[in-house]
Short mmCIF file of all heavy atoms in Angstrom, two decimals:
data_model
loop_
_atom_site.label_atom_id
_atom_site.label_comp_id
_atom_site.label_asym_id
_atom_site.label_seq_id
_atom_site.Cartn_x
_atom_site.Cartn_y
_atom_site.Cartn_z
N LYS A 1 30.58 -13.69 -8.07
CA LYS A 1 30.11 -13.86 -9.45
C LYS A 1 28.80 -14.64 -9.48
O LYS A 1 27.86 -14.27 -10.19
CB LYS A 1 31.19 -14.59 -10.27
CG LYS A 1 30.87 -14.77 -11.70
CD LYS A 1 30.93 -13.46 -12.44
CE LYS A 1 30.71 -13.72 -13.93
NZ LYS A 1 30.34 -12.53 -14.63
N LEU A 2 28.73 -15.72 -8.71
CA LEU A 2 27.51 -16.53 -8.68
C LEU A 2 26.34 -15.78 -8.04
O LEU A 2 25.19 -15.97 -8.44
CB LEU A 2 27.76 -17.85 -7.94
CG LEU A 2 28.69 -18.84 -8.66
CD1 LEU A 2 29.02 -20.00 -7.75
CD2 LEU A 2 28.05 -19.33 -9.95
N SER A 3 26.61 -14.95 -7.05
CA SER A 3 25.52 -14.24 -6.37
C SER A 3 25.06 -13.01 -7.14
O SER A 3 24.01 -12.46 -6.83
CB SER A 3 25.94 -13.84 -4.96
OG SER A 3 26.93 -12.82 -5.01
N SER A 4 25.80 -12.58 -8.16
CA SER A 4 25.40 -11.39 -8.91
C SER A 4 24.11 -11.63 -9.70
O SER A 4 23.37 -10.70 -9.98
CB SER A 4 26.51 -10.95 -9.86
OG SER A 4 26.72 -11.91 -10.87
N GLY A 5 23.82 -12.85 -10.07
CA GLY A 5 22.60 -13.16 -10.80
C GLY A 5 21.46 -13.59 -9.90
O GLY A 5 20.44 -14.09 -10.37
N LEU A 6 21.60 -13.40 -8.62
CA LEU A 6 20.61 -13.83 -7.65
C LEU A 6 19.33 -13.00 -7.78
O LEU A 6 19.38 -11.78 -7.85
CB LEU A 6 21.18 -13.66 -6.23
CG LEU A 6 20.33 -14.08 -5.06
CD1 LEU A 6 20.18 -15.59 -5.07
CD2 LEU A 6 20.97 -13.64 -3.76
N SER A 7 18.20 -13.66 -7.85
CA SER A 7 16.92 -12.95 -7.82
C SER A 7 16.10 -13.54 -6.68
O SER A 7 16.15 -14.74 -6.40
CB SER A 7 16.18 -13.09 -9.15
OG SER A 7 15.63 -14.36 -9.28
N ILE A 8 15.37 -12.68 -6.04
CA ILE A 8 14.63 -13.08 -4.85
C ILE A 8 13.15 -12.77 -5.07
O ILE A 8 12.79 -11.67 -5.47
CB ILE A 8 15.15 -12.33 -3.61
CG1 ILE A 8 16.60 -12.72 -3.38
CG2 ILE A 8 14.30 -12.62 -2.39
CD1 ILE A 8 17.29 -11.92 -2.33
N SER A 9 12.32 -13.75 -4.82
CA SER A 9 10.88 -13.57 -4.95
C SER A 9 10.32 -13.14 -3.60
O SER A 9 10.67 -13.70 -2.56
CB SER A 9 10.22 -14.87 -5.39
OG SER A 9 8.82 -14.73 -5.37
N THR A 10 9.43 -12.15 -3.62
CA THR A 10 8.78 -11.70 -2.39
C THR A 10 7.44 -12.38 -2.19
O THR A 10 6.71 -12.03 -1.28
CB THR A 10 8.59 -10.17 -2.41
OG1 THR A 10 7.83 -9.81 -3.57
CG2 THR A 10 9.92 -9.46 -2.43
N ARG A 11 7.11 -13.34 -3.03
CA ARG A 11 5.84 -14.06 -2.90
C ARG A 11 6.06 -15.29 -2.01
O ARG A 11 6.74 -16.23 -2.40
CB ARG A 11 5.34 -14.48 -4.27
CG ARG A 11 4.98 -13.29 -5.16
CD ARG A 11 4.64 -13.76 -6.56
NE ARG A 11 3.73 -14.89 -6.53
CZ ARG A 11 2.53 -14.89 -7.05
NH1 ARG A 11 2.08 -13.84 -7.67
NH2 ARG A 11 1.77 -15.98 -6.98
N LEU A 12 5.46 -15.28 -0.83
CA LEU A 12 5.65 -16.37 0.13
C LEU A 12 5.12 -17.71 -0.39
O LEU A 12 5.68 -18.75 -0.09
CB LEU A 12 4.98 -16.04 1.47
CG LEU A 12 5.65 -14.92 2.26
CD1 LEU A 12 4.87 -14.64 3.53
CD2 LEU A 12 7.08 -15.27 2.59
N GLU A 13 4.05 -17.66 -1.18
CA GLU A 13 3.48 -18.92 -1.67
C GLU A 13 4.42 -19.63 -2.64
O GLU A 13 4.29 -20.83 -2.85
CB GLU A 13 2.10 -18.71 -2.30
CG GLU A 13 2.08 -17.83 -3.51
CD GLU A 13 1.88 -16.35 -3.20
OE1 GLU A 13 2.03 -15.94 -2.05
OE2 GLU A 13 1.59 -15.61 -4.14
N ASP A 14 5.38 -18.89 -3.23
CA ASP A 14 6.37 -19.53 -4.10
C ASP A 14 7.33 -20.41 -3.32
O ASP A 14 7.99 -21.27 -3.89
CB ASP A 14 7.17 -18.47 -4.88
CG ASP A 14 6.33 -17.79 -5.95
OD1 ASP A 14 5.24 -18.32 -6.28
OD2 ASP A 14 6.75 -16.73 -6.44
N LEU A 15 7.44 -20.18 -2.02
CA LEU A 15 8.36 -20.96 -1.19
C LEU A 15 7.75 -22.28 -0.72
O LEU A 15 8.47 -23.13 -0.21
CB LEU A 15 8.78 -20.14 0.03
CG LEU A 15 9.47 -18.81 -0.27
CD1 LEU A 15 9.71 -18.04 1.01
CD2 LEU A 15 10.78 -19.06 -1.00
N MET A 16 6.44 -22.42 -0.89
CA MET A 16 5.76 -23.61 -0.41
C MET A 16 5.30 -24.46 -1.59
O MET A 16 5.03 -23.93 -2.67
CB MET A 16 4.57 -23.20 0.45
CG MET A 16 4.99 -22.43 1.69
SD MET A 16 3.65 -21.65 2.61
CE MET A 16 2.44 -22.90 2.77
N PRO A 17 5.21 -25.77 -1.41
CA PRO A 17 4.76 -26.62 -2.53
C PRO A 17 3.30 -26.35 -2.89
O PRO A 17 2.48 -26.04 -2.03
CB PRO A 17 4.93 -28.04 -1.98
CG PRO A 17 4.95 -27.89 -0.50
CD PRO A 17 5.51 -26.52 -0.21
N ALA A 18 2.99 -26.45 -4.18
CA ALA A 18 1.63 -26.18 -4.66
C ALA A 18 0.62 -27.15 -4.06
O ALA A 18 -0.57 -26.85 -4.01
CB ALA A 18 1.60 -26.24 -6.18
N SER A 19 1.08 -28.32 -3.60
CA SER A 19 0.16 -29.31 -3.03
C SER A 19 -0.21 -29.01 -1.58
O SER A 19 -1.10 -29.66 -1.03
CB SER A 19 0.78 -30.70 -3.13
OG SER A 19 2.00 -30.73 -2.40
N ALA A 20 0.46 -28.04 -0.95
CA ALA A 20 0.15 -27.71 0.45
C ALA A 20 -1.26 -27.15 0.54
O ALA A 20 -1.70 -26.37 -0.30
CB ALA A 20 1.16 -26.70 0.99
N ARG A 21 -1.97 -27.54 1.59
CA ARG A 21 -3.37 -27.13 1.75
C ARG A 21 -3.50 -25.62 1.84
O ARG A 21 -4.41 -25.02 1.27
CB ARG A 21 -3.95 -27.79 3.00
CG ARG A 21 -5.43 -27.52 3.16
CD ARG A 21 -6.07 -28.45 4.16
NE ARG A 21 -7.50 -28.28 4.11
CZ ARG A 21 -8.22 -27.82 5.13
NH1 ARG A 21 -7.64 -27.52 6.25
NH2 ARG A 21 -9.51 -27.67 5.02
N SER A 22 -2.58 -24.96 2.56
CA SER A 22 -2.66 -23.51 2.71
C SER A 22 -2.45 -22.81 1.37
O SER A 22 -3.09 -21.79 1.10
CB SER A 22 -1.64 -23.02 3.73
OG SER A 22 -0.34 -23.41 3.36
N VAL A 23 -1.59 -23.33 0.51
CA VAL A 23 -1.37 -22.74 -0.80
C VAL A 23 -2.61 -22.93 -1.67
O VAL A 23 -3.03 -22.02 -2.39
CB VAL A 23 -0.12 -23.34 -1.49
CG1 VAL A 23 0.02 -22.85 -2.92
CG2 VAL A 23 1.13 -23.00 -0.70
N GLN A 24 -3.23 -24.10 -1.59
CA GLN A 24 -4.45 -24.35 -2.36
C GLN A 24 -5.57 -23.43 -1.90
O GLN A 24 -6.31 -22.89 -2.73
CB GLN A 24 -4.86 -25.81 -2.24
CG GLN A 24 -3.91 -26.76 -2.94
CD GLN A 24 -4.23 -28.22 -2.69
OE1 GLN A 24 -5.03 -28.56 -1.83
NE2 GLN A 24 -3.59 -29.10 -3.47
N SER A 25 -5.70 -23.22 -0.58
CA SER A 25 -6.72 -22.31 -0.06
C SER A 25 -6.46 -20.89 -0.54
O SER A 25 -7.38 -20.18 -0.94
CB SER A 25 -6.73 -22.34 1.47
OG SER A 25 -7.06 -23.61 1.94
N LEU A 26 -5.21 -20.47 -0.46
CA LEU A 26 -4.85 -19.13 -0.91
C LEU A 26 -5.16 -18.95 -2.39
O LEU A 26 -5.74 -17.93 -2.79
CB LEU A 26 -3.36 -18.86 -0.65
CG LEU A 26 -2.83 -17.52 -1.16
CD1 LEU A 26 -3.52 -16.36 -0.47
CD2 LEU A 26 -1.33 -17.45 -0.94
N ASN A 27 -4.82 -19.93 -3.21
CA ASN A 27 -5.10 -19.84 -4.65
C ASN A 27 -6.60 -19.79 -4.92
O ASN A 27 -7.04 -19.08 -5.83
CB ASN A 27 -4.45 -21.00 -5.39
CG ASN A 27 -2.94 -20.86 -5.46
OD1 ASN A 27 -2.41 -19.76 -5.38
ND2 ASN A 27 -2.25 -21.97 -5.58
N ALA A 28 -7.38 -20.52 -4.13
CA ALA A 28 -8.84 -20.48 -4.31
C ALA A 28 -9.38 -19.10 -3.97
O ALA A 28 -10.24 -18.56 -4.68
CB ALA A 28 -9.51 -21.55 -3.43
N VAL A 29 -8.87 -18.49 -2.89
CA VAL A 29 -9.30 -17.14 -2.51
C VAL A 29 -8.89 -16.14 -3.59
O VAL A 29 -9.67 -15.28 -3.99
CB VAL A 29 -8.70 -16.74 -1.15
CG1 VAL A 29 -8.90 -15.27 -0.88
CG2 VAL A 29 -9.33 -17.57 -0.04
N LEU A 30 -7.66 -16.25 -4.06
CA LEU A 30 -7.18 -15.33 -5.10
C LEU A 30 -8.00 -15.46 -6.38
O LEU A 30 -8.27 -14.47 -7.06
CB LEU A 30 -5.70 -15.58 -5.38
CG LEU A 30 -4.74 -15.19 -4.25
CD1 LEU A 30 -3.32 -15.62 -4.60
CD2 LEU A 30 -4.79 -13.71 -3.96
N GLU A 31 -8.41 -16.69 -6.71
CA GLU A 31 -9.20 -16.91 -7.91
C GLU A 31 -10.58 -16.26 -7.79
O GLU A 31 -11.09 -15.67 -8.74
CB GLU A 31 -9.35 -18.41 -8.15
CG GLU A 31 -10.00 -18.76 -9.47
CD GLU A 31 -10.05 -20.26 -9.68
OE1 GLU A 31 -9.02 -20.92 -9.45
OE2 GLU A 31 -11.12 -20.76 -10.06
N LYS A 32 -11.18 -16.35 -6.60
CA LYS A 32 -12.52 -15.80 -6.41
C LYS A 32 -12.51 -14.29 -6.19
O LYS A 32 -13.38 -13.59 -6.67
CB LYS A 32 -13.19 -16.47 -5.21
CG LYS A 32 -13.61 -17.87 -5.48
CD LYS A 32 -14.34 -18.46 -4.31
CE LYS A 32 -14.75 -19.89 -4.62
NZ LYS A 32 -15.52 -20.47 -3.56
N SER A 33 -11.55 -13.81 -5.43
CA SER A 33 -11.61 -12.40 -5.02
C SER A 33 -10.55 -11.52 -5.68
O SER A 33 -10.66 -10.31 -5.66
CB SER A 33 -11.45 -12.30 -3.50
OG SER A 33 -10.15 -12.72 -3.13
N GLY A 34 -9.52 -12.13 -6.23
CA GLY A 34 -8.46 -11.34 -6.83
C GLY A 34 -7.40 -10.91 -5.84
O GLY A 34 -6.36 -10.40 -6.22
N SER A 35 -7.64 -11.12 -4.55
CA SER A 35 -6.62 -10.76 -3.55
C SER A 35 -6.86 -11.56 -2.28
O SER A 35 -7.87 -12.22 -2.11
CB SER A 35 -6.67 -9.27 -3.24
OG SER A 35 -7.87 -8.94 -2.57
N PHE A 36 -5.91 -11.45 -1.38
CA PHE A 36 -6.01 -12.12 -0.08
C PHE A 36 -5.85 -11.05 0.98
O PHE A 36 -4.87 -10.31 0.97
CB PHE A 36 -4.90 -13.16 0.05
CG PHE A 36 -4.92 -13.87 1.37
CD1 PHE A 36 -5.84 -14.85 1.63
CD2 PHE A 36 -4.01 -13.53 2.36
CE1 PHE A 36 -5.86 -15.51 2.85
CE2 PHE A 36 -4.02 -14.18 3.58
CZ PHE A 36 -4.96 -15.17 3.81
N ALA A 37 -6.81 -10.93 1.85
CA ALA A 37 -6.73 -9.84 2.82
C ALA A 37 -7.47 -10.20 4.10
O ALA A 37 -8.29 -11.10 4.14
CB ALA A 37 -7.33 -8.57 2.22
N SER A 38 -7.14 -9.44 5.10
CA SER A 38 -7.86 -9.50 6.37
C SER A 38 -8.74 -8.26 6.43
O SER A 38 -8.31 -7.17 6.06
CB SER A 38 -6.85 -9.49 7.52
OG SER A 38 -7.52 -9.33 8.74
N ILE A 39 -9.96 -8.44 6.84
CA ILE A 39 -10.91 -7.32 6.86
C ILE A 39 -11.40 -7.12 8.28
O ILE A 39 -11.72 -8.08 8.99
CB ILE A 39 -12.11 -7.62 5.94
CG1 ILE A 39 -11.65 -7.80 4.50
CG2 ILE A 39 -13.13 -6.50 6.03
CD1 ILE A 39 -12.74 -8.29 3.57
#
């Protein structure tokens, strides 16, 4: 019954604290470019 309402996020940055340096870097990239990618 308790697991029936379980929702899972596929966004890895949601698993890390917003104060983490890597999350801040990712958010800065997303703000400037709209996405995060390897080229």
Side-chain angles (χ1 to χ4, degrees):
K1 183 72 175 162
L2 291 172
S3 69
S4 66
L6 182 68
S7 75
I8 297 171
S9 173
T10 57
R11 295 173 47 119
L12 291 178
E13 63 270 15
D14 289 345
L15 301 174
M16 297 170 47
S19 60
R21 185 165 189 244
S22 57
V23 173
Q24 291 173 349
S25 298
L26 176 62
N27 288 335
V29 169
L30 291 174
E31 187 177 314
K32 287 183 180 183
S33 66
S35 68
F36 179 77
S38 171
I39 299 172

